PDB file of all heavy atoms in Angstrom:
ATOM      1  N   SER A 157      94.249  77.322  75.032  1.00 93.00           N
ATOM      2  CA  SER A 157      94.414  76.045  74.328  1.00 93.00           C
ATOM      3  C   SER A 157      93.919  76.150  72.884  1.00 93.00           C
ATOM      4  O   SER A 157      94.428  75.481  71.986  1.00 93.00           O
ATOM      5  CB  SER A 157      93.715  74.901  75.067  1.00 93.00           C
ATOM      6  OG  SER A 157      92.482  75.310  75.509  1.00 93.00           O
ATOM      7  N   GLN A 158      92.968  77.045  72.657  1.00 94.00           N
ATOM      8  CA  GLN A 158      92.460  77.256  71.295  1.00 94.00           C
ATOM      9  C   GLN A 158      93.576  77.825  70.400  1.00 94.00           C
ATOM     10  O   GLN A 158      93.792  77.338  69.282  1.00 94.00           O
ATOM     11  CB  GLN A 158      91.296  78.237  71.361  1.00 94.00           C
ATOM     12  CG  GLN A 158      90.395  78.188  70.159  1.00 94.00           C
ATOM     13  CD  GLN A 158      89.295  79.245  70.258  1.00 94.00           C
ATOM     14  OE1 GLN A 158      89.070  79.848  71.296  1.00 94.00           O
ATOM     15  NE2 GLN A 158      88.623  79.476  69.160  1.00 94.00           N
ATOM     16  N   ASP A 159      94.289  78.829  70.910  1.00 94.00           N
ATOM     17  CA  ASP A 159      95.398  79.412  70.142  1.00 94.00           C
ATOM     18  C   ASP A 159      96.527  78.401  69.965  1.00 94.00           C
ATOM     19  O   ASP A 159      97.197  78.382  68.930  1.00 94.00           O
ATOM     20  CB  ASP A 159      95.934  80.668  70.839  1.00 94.00           C
ATOM     21  CG  ASP A 159      95.007  81.848  70.670  1.00 94.00           C
ATOM     22  OD1 ASP A 159      94.155  81.800  69.765  1.00 94.00           O
ATOM     23  OD2 ASP A 159      95.115  82.811  71.458  1.00 94.00           O
ATOM     24  N   ALA A 160      96.716  77.574  71.001  1.00 96.00           N
ATOM     25  CA  ALA A 160      97.776  76.558  70.919  1.00 96.00           C
ATOM     26  C   ALA A 160      97.456  75.563  69.806  1.00 96.00           C
ATOM     27  O   ALA A 160      98.325  75.248  68.980  1.00 96.00           O
ATOM     28  CB  ALA A 160      97.913  75.842  72.261  1.00 96.00           C
ATOM     29  N   VAL A 161      96.203  75.106  69.756  1.00 96.00           N
ATOM     30  CA  VAL A 161      95.809  74.134  68.710  1.00 96.00           C
ATOM     31  C   VAL A 161      95.980  74.746  67.319  1.00 96.00           C
ATOM     32  O   VAL A 161      96.486  74.100  66.407  1.00 96.00           O
ATOM     33  CB  VAL A 161      94.356  73.652  68.944  1.00 96.00           C
ATOM     34  CG1 VAL A 161      93.838  72.888  67.741  1.00 96.00           C
ATOM     35  CG2 VAL A 161      94.290  72.775  70.187  1.00 96.00           C
ATOM     36  N   LYS A 162      95.593  76.026  67.197  1.00 95.00           N
ATOM     37  CA  LYS A 162      95.760  76.716  65.909  1.00 95.00           C
ATOM     38  C   LYS A 162      97.237  76.705  65.500  1.00 95.00           C
ATOM     39  O   LYS A 162      97.568  76.470  64.336  1.00 95.00           O
ATOM     40  CB  LYS A 162      95.282  78.167  66.031  1.00 95.00           C
ATOM     41  CG  LYS A 162      93.812  78.344  65.801  1.00 95.00           C
ATOM     42  CD  LYS A 162      93.506  79.834  65.751  1.00 95.00           C
ATOM     43  CE  LYS A 162      92.124  80.125  66.264  1.00 95.00           C
ATOM     44  NZ  LYS A 162      91.916  81.531  66.595  1.00 95.00           N
ATOM     45  N   ALA A 163      98.104  76.976  66.481  1.00 96.00           N
ATOM     46  CA  ALA A 163      99.549  77.010  66.194  1.00 96.00           C
ATOM     47  C   ALA A 163     100.069  75.618  65.823  1.00 96.00           C
ATOM     48  O   ALA A 163     100.863  75.481  64.893  1.00 96.00           O
ATOM     49  CB  ALA A 163     100.312  77.553  67.396  1.00 96.00           C
ATOM     50  N   TYR A 164      99.593  74.590  66.533  1.00 96.00           N
ATOM     51  CA  TYR A 164     100.039  73.210  66.209  1.00 96.00           C
ATOM     52  C   TYR A 164      99.672  72.879  64.762  1.00 96.00           C
ATOM     53  O   TYR A 164     100.495  72.383  63.992  1.00 96.00           O
ATOM     54  CB  TYR A 164      99.374  72.160  67.102  1.00 96.00           C
ATOM     55  CG  TYR A 164      99.617  72.296  68.585  1.00 96.00           C
ATOM     56  CD1 TYR A 164      98.627  71.922  69.501  1.00 96.00           C
ATOM     57  CD2 TYR A 164     100.821  72.782  69.086  1.00 96.00           C
ATOM     58  CE1 TYR A 164      98.828  72.037  70.866  1.00 96.00           C
ATOM     59  CE2 TYR A 164     101.018  72.900  70.450  1.00 96.00           C
ATOM     60  CZ  TYR A 164     100.010  72.529  71.329  1.00 96.00           C
ATOM     61  OH  TYR A 164     100.210  72.647  72.675  1.00 96.00           O
ATOM     62  N   LEU A 165      98.403  73.161  64.420  1.00 95.00           N
ATOM     63  CA  LEU A 165      97.930  72.797  63.079  1.00 95.00           C
ATOM     64  C   LEU A 165      98.645  73.608  62.002  1.00 95.00           C
ATOM     65  O   LEU A 165      99.013  73.072  60.963  1.00 95.00           O
ATOM     66  CB  LEU A 165      96.412  72.984  62.971  1.00 95.00           C
ATOM     67  CG  LEU A 165      95.570  72.006  63.788  1.00 95.00           C
ATOM     68  CD1 LEU A 165      94.100  72.392  63.756  1.00 95.00           C
ATOM     69  CD2 LEU A 165      95.722  70.577  63.275  1.00 95.00           C
ATOM     70  N   PHE A 166      98.856  74.894  62.292  1.00 93.00           N
ATOM     71  CA  PHE A 166      99.535  75.740  61.303  1.00 93.00           C
ATOM     72  C   PHE A 166     100.977  75.267  61.099  1.00 93.00           C
ATOM     73  O   PHE A 166     101.435  75.126  59.962  1.00 93.00           O
ATOM     74  CB  PHE A 166      99.507  77.197  61.757  1.00 93.00           C
ATOM     75  CG  PHE A 166     100.143  78.129  60.767  1.00 93.00           C
ATOM     76  CD1 PHE A 166      99.477  78.485  59.606  1.00 93.00           C
ATOM     77  CD2 PHE A 166     101.423  78.632  60.978  1.00 93.00           C
ATOM     78  CE1 PHE A 166     100.072  79.317  58.673  1.00 93.00           C
ATOM     79  CE2 PHE A 166     102.027  79.474  60.049  1.00 93.00           C
ATOM     80  CZ  PHE A 166     101.341  79.824  58.899  1.00 93.00           C
ATOM     81  N   ASP A 167     101.666  75.010  62.196  1.00 93.00           N
ATOM     82  CA  ASP A 167     103.080  74.628  62.083  1.00 93.00           C
ATOM     83  C   ASP A 167     103.255  73.194  61.572  1.00 93.00           C
ATOM     84  O   ASP A 167     104.336  72.834  61.116  1.00 93.00           O
ATOM     85  CB  ASP A 167     103.808  74.829  63.419  1.00 93.00           C
ATOM     86  CG  ASP A 167     104.062  76.303  63.686  1.00 93.00           C
ATOM     87  OD1 ASP A 167     103.558  77.133  62.904  1.00 93.00           O
ATOM     88  OD2 ASP A 167     104.760  76.635  64.650  1.00 93.00           O
ATOM     89  N   ALA A 168     102.194  72.408  61.657  1.00 93.00           N
ATOM     90  CA  ALA A 168     102.287  71.029  61.163  1.00 93.00           C
ATOM     91  C   ALA A 168     101.688  70.905  59.769  1.00 93.00           C
ATOM     92  O   ALA A 168     101.459  69.806  59.271  1.00 93.00           O
ATOM     93  CB  ALA A 168     101.566  70.090  62.123  1.00 93.00           C
TER      94      ALA A 168
END
Side-chain angles (χ1 to χ4, degrees):
Chain A
S157 43
Q158 200 183 348
D159 285 342
V161 168
K162 274 188 211 164
Y164 300 147
L165 291 172
F166 182 76
D167 285 7

